[in-house]
Amino acid sequence: MKKHLKLLIIYLIVVFVPTIIGSSYFIHLRSIINLNERINEANWIASIHESHWDKFISGTVTSLEMIAMTAKTLFDDLEQMKPLLEKAHQSDPRYGGIYLVGKNGGIIAGSNQHLPESTYIEKELVNEVTKTKDVIISNDSFSLENGQTVIGLAYPILAENNELMAVSLALLRIDYVENLMKVLTPDSKILLLSANENILMTFNMKETEKIEDLTNEEKWVTYPIERLPWKLKVKVDEKEKTVIDSLMIIGIHLILTHILFLLINYLLLKRQAAIERKENEAQKLELVGTLAASTAHEIRNPLTGIKGLVQLLSEKYDEPTDRMYFSVIDKEIERINEIVSEFLILGKPTAQKMEIVDISGVLRELYPLILSEATFNRVHLHYEVATDPILVKCTKDQMKQVILNITRNAFEAMKGEIKSEGILTVELRKENHLCEIIITDTGVGINEKVIEQIFTPFYTSKETGTGLGLVVCKRILQSFNGEILITSEEHKGTTVILKLPLISSS
């Protein structure tokens, strides 16, 4: 139950919460990006229509300029301009009519009779042109007698002294422009506003949409027309692909967070398996140690009696052959006693008399023993021990036992060397508040698969080994808060590092 609750909490932390937070953030970000894309699209549509209007007005102004130049030459009889105006009107369907208007606002000549003289529009435009002496466009649309809705564009005809002679007036058909704009962008909703915010044209708009708040920049894009005091308003497309995008974002987050959850779950399972394996090994070692210790005590008692009787018999029988037999028996009894001693160390730890020991002094004391064994095994010994005291807290005799056990294993590993004599290196150094004893040999090395099992009780690769030597060494070092590390490469040698915490000499 506890395990399932832990997994549920991890799932909530790794999957549920990040998915909600991450998805919300990216959905919001995607919504902003989507809005910007739609605003950019509306700006692009507005720029197309602005460009079209610019060309449209430029073309109309050019036509009115040509009419004005012709009107100057025929100023004494402007009635002759009527055929030219009719021809210009008929050649371009965008016009609702083209007229010449006098300074008083009266129509002098026109391409048709759809603009009655009584209308105010020509008088208003003439007044504006008189004031500005420049091209003027009407601020509002108006209807002709034939029902066409138009806007007016007036061009001044000026004399040499810059006095207004007359005005050429073109009426631009709104329906023609609307049709053309619908062809360019058939689905876009567009408003054309005059300088005083009057609606001149609408495209794809309902009556209810016309009164909508036009200042809302999230719904409308405003684009000024360069040659006119007008502006275009294009409605931003309201269609958002938020549902599909949201599902995709949530799906991606779920996939990524589940992958992370599975990875974390795998690492936790791996860690739990390692902990359980260590616990099993510890339980196994404790069980073996308890059994070994109890057995060792039972063996030692009769073993002591046997040794005493053998000594008495060796005094009684002094023949050379008998002495040889007794010598062999005594050696084997000693061997049994050593094994039993190792069994006792494997047992439940007893109270040890810890003391502050100079490890460099211990190694100097062991030097003659290690050197003699190196000479016997034809091994070169490199001994690098500092003269300065290196203090650790341990049991001196047990520390000697560990060092001698490791060096003995090194000598045995180098017995098979035929090509050249082996080299044993013993170093002592300080490293990050630790004392390190490094013992390196050039022996046969240890296989990668085997090195994982060397601290398993009773595992040995030697014919006469007990499989307890390294286990005992590890147990002793752990009782001193130290550790043992072994690295090896086949046919190249092995390095054993014994680490113990230092004690300040001050």
Side-chain angles (χ1 to χ4, degrees):
M1 185 68 182
K2 188 177 179 181
K3 184 179 178 182
H4 291 307
L5 181 61
K6 184 180 178 181
L7 279 177
L8 178 61
I9 293 171
I10 293 172
Y11 184 84
L12 291 174
I13 295 172
V14 175
V15 178
F16 189 73
V17 175
T19 298
I20 291 176
I21 296 173
S23 298
S24 300
Y25 172 75
F26 283 104
I27 288 171
H28 176 67
L29 185 63
R30 180 58 189 146
S31 178
I32 293 172
I33 293 171
N34 184 271
L35 176 62
N36 289 333
E37 288 175 351
R38 289 181 285 120
I39 289 173
N40 290 336
E41 183 182 2
N43 274 309
W44 174 74
I45 291 169
S47 68
I48 289 176
H49 290 298
E50 190 277 335
S51 175
H52 170 71
W53 270 103
D54 185 56
K55 291 178 182 178
F56 187 36
I57 298 300
S58 296
T60 304
V61 169
T62 301
S63 298
L64 292 178
E65 187 178 6
M66 292 176 64
I67 291 171
M69 290 173 63
T70 306
K72 281 184 180 182
T73 60
L74 301 174
F75 188 72
D76 294 333
D77 189 8
L78 291 177
E79 289 289 337
Q80 297 181 33
M81 289 292 296
K82 186 176 180 179
L84 178 62
L85 297 176
E86 290 176 349
K87 186 175 180 181
H89 181 187
Q90 292 169 1
S91 64
D92 197 332
R94 62 183 151 184
Y95 298 133
I98 303 175
Y99 305 89
L100 282 177
V101 182
K103 290 192 292 183
N104 59 357
I107 298 174
I108 300 171
S111 61
N112 56 39
Q113 300 297 321
H114 298 317
L115 181 66
E117 292 188 14
S118 59
T119 185
Y120 70 93
I121 189 66
E122 69 275 12
K123 295 177 182 178
E124 183 180 314
L125 288 173
V126 169
N127 289 335
E128 289 293 324
V129 171
T130 303
K131 292 177 184 178
T132 61
K133 305 286 178 45
D134 198 0
V135 177
I136 295 296
I137 192 162
S138 59
N139 283 326
D140 295 299
S141 60
F142 56 95
S143 298
L144 300 178
E145 290 183 347
N146 62 355
Q148 290 179 346
T149 303
V150 295
I151 55 176
L153 181 65
Y155 186 91
I157 302 173
L158 301 175
E160 294 296 331
N161 58 0
N162 208 34
E163 287 295 324
L164 184 69
M165 300 168 59
V167 174
S168 57
L169 174 66
L171 303 180
L172 306 179
R173 290 173 53 190
I174 286 180
D175 60 338
Y176 173 82
V177 179
E178 285 180 342
N179 290 333
L180 187 60
M181 294 179 79
K182 285 179 180 178
V183 170
L184 291 173
T185 53
D187 299 322
S188 301
K189 296 179 179 181
I190 305 171
L191 287 174
L192 183 63
L193 302 178
S194 65
N196 55 6
E197 298 290 328
N198 291 329
I199 297 175
L200 299 174
M201 298 183 190
T202 62
F203 305 94
N204 299 322
M205 299 290 293
K206 298 177 182 177
E207 288 298 323
T208 55
E209 291 178 308
K210 293 179 186 179
I211 60 173
E212 190 175 351
D213 184 12
L214 299 178
T215 61
N216 190 341
E217 292 299 326
E218 290 190 358
K219 294 184 178 180
W220 294 91
V221 165
T222 303
Y223 209 95
I225 299 176
E226 186 176 349
R227 296 182 63 96
L228 298 172
W230 298 348
K231 53 188 174 182
L232 285 162
K233 276 191 172 288
V234 180
K235 192 167 187 182
V236 177
D237 188 7
E238 296 179 351
K239 296 178 182 178
E240 294 186 53
K241 299 177 181 178
T242 51
V243 176
I244 297 174
D245 289 345
S246 299
L247 290 175
M248 287 180 63
I249 289 169
I250 292 170
I252 291 170
H253 272 84
L254 283 172
I255 291 171
L256 293 176
T257 51
H258 274 90
I259 291 172
L260 181 61
F261 171 73
L262 292 174
L263 179 61
I264 292 173
N265 196 27
Y266 167 75
L267 293 174
L268 288 174
L269 289 173
K270 190 176 179 181
R271 179 171 169 269
Q272 183 64 29
I275 292 171
E276 289 177 356
R277 185 167 61 249
K278 286 183 179 179
E279 289 176 351
N280 289 337
E281 288 177 359
Q283 289 174 0
K284 180 181 176 182
L285 185 60
E286 186 178 354
L287 179 62
V288 169
T290 304
L291 179 63
S294 60
T295 305
H297 281 295
E298 295 300 323
I299 292 173
R300 261 194 169 178
N301 292 329
L303 193 63
T304 303
I306 291 170
K307 188 173 183 179
L309 291 172
V310 168
Q311 286 178 348
L312 290 173
L313 287 171
S314 65
E315 293 175 2
K316 184 177 180 181
Y317 298 95
D318 55 357
E319 291 294 327
T321 306
D322 296 334
R323 287 186 177 279
M324 182 190 71
Y325 291 150
F326 287 129
S327 175
V328 171
I329 292 170
D330 192 56
K331 286 181 181 178
E332 292 303 314
I333 290 173
E334 284 298 326
R335 176 171 158 74
I336 293 170
N337 197 40
E338 287 179 6
I339 295 171
V340 168
S341 297
E342 290 181 344
F343 278 177
L344 286 172
I345 294 174
L346 284 175
K348 195 172 183 179
T350 56
Q352 300 183 78
K353 187 179 179 181
M354 303 279 279
E355 57 185 338
I356 297 175
V357 176
D358 177 14
I359 291 296
S360 59
V362 171
L363 286 172
R364 283 194 296 272
E365 290 177 18
L366 292 176
Y367 178 73
L369 293 174
I370 297 173
L371 179 62
S372 63
E373 197 164 354
T375 304
F376 178 77
N377 287 285
R378 293 189 302 168
V379 170
H380 291 291
L381 177 62
H382 290 208
Y383 221 68
E384 300 178 15
V385 178
T387 56
D388 297 336
I390 298 177
L391 305 179
V392 299
K393 195 170 184 180
C394 65
T395 303
K396 188 174 182 179
D397 291 339
Q398 287 190 345
M399 199 64 225
K400 285 183 176 180
Q401 179 184 349
V402 171
I403 295 169
L404 288 174
N405 199 339
I406 299 299
T407 54
R408 191 179 301 118
N409 287 345
F411 289 130
E412 290 178 0
M414 290 186 282
K415 278 184 179 178
E417 292 289 299
I418 300 174
K419 295 181 287 183
S420 61
E421 292 182 347
I423 300 172
L424 178 68
T425 304
V426 179
E427 298 177 70
L428 176 63
R429 67 187 183 191
K430 295 180 182 179
E431 188 74 28
N432 296 330
H433 307 291
L434 289 174
C435 161
E436 291 188 354
I437 304 170
I438 304 167
I439 302 171
T440 306
D441 67 62
T442 57
V444 294
I446 307 172
N447 187 278
E448 288 183 5
K449 296 179 180 178
V450 173
I451 205 167
E452 296 178 358
Q453 304 176 9
I454 56 178
F455 292 110
T456 304
F458 305 112
Y459 176 83
T460 180
S461 58
K462 303 173 188 175
E463 293 182 2
T464 58
T466 62
L468 297 173
L470 288 175
V471 180
V472 170
C473 290
K474 184 176 181 180
R475 192 69 173 260
I476 291 172
L477 286 169
Q478 286 177 341
S479 69
F480 303 152
N481 295 320
E483 62 177 332
I484 178 171
L485 303 175
I486 298 180
T487 57
S488 185
E489 190 173 349
E490 280 192 286
H491 310 300
K492 290 190 177 181
T494 302
T495 298
V496 180
I497 303 175
L498 310 176
K499 294 186 178 185
L500 289 168
L502 285 169
I503 293 178
S504 176
S505 57
S506 57

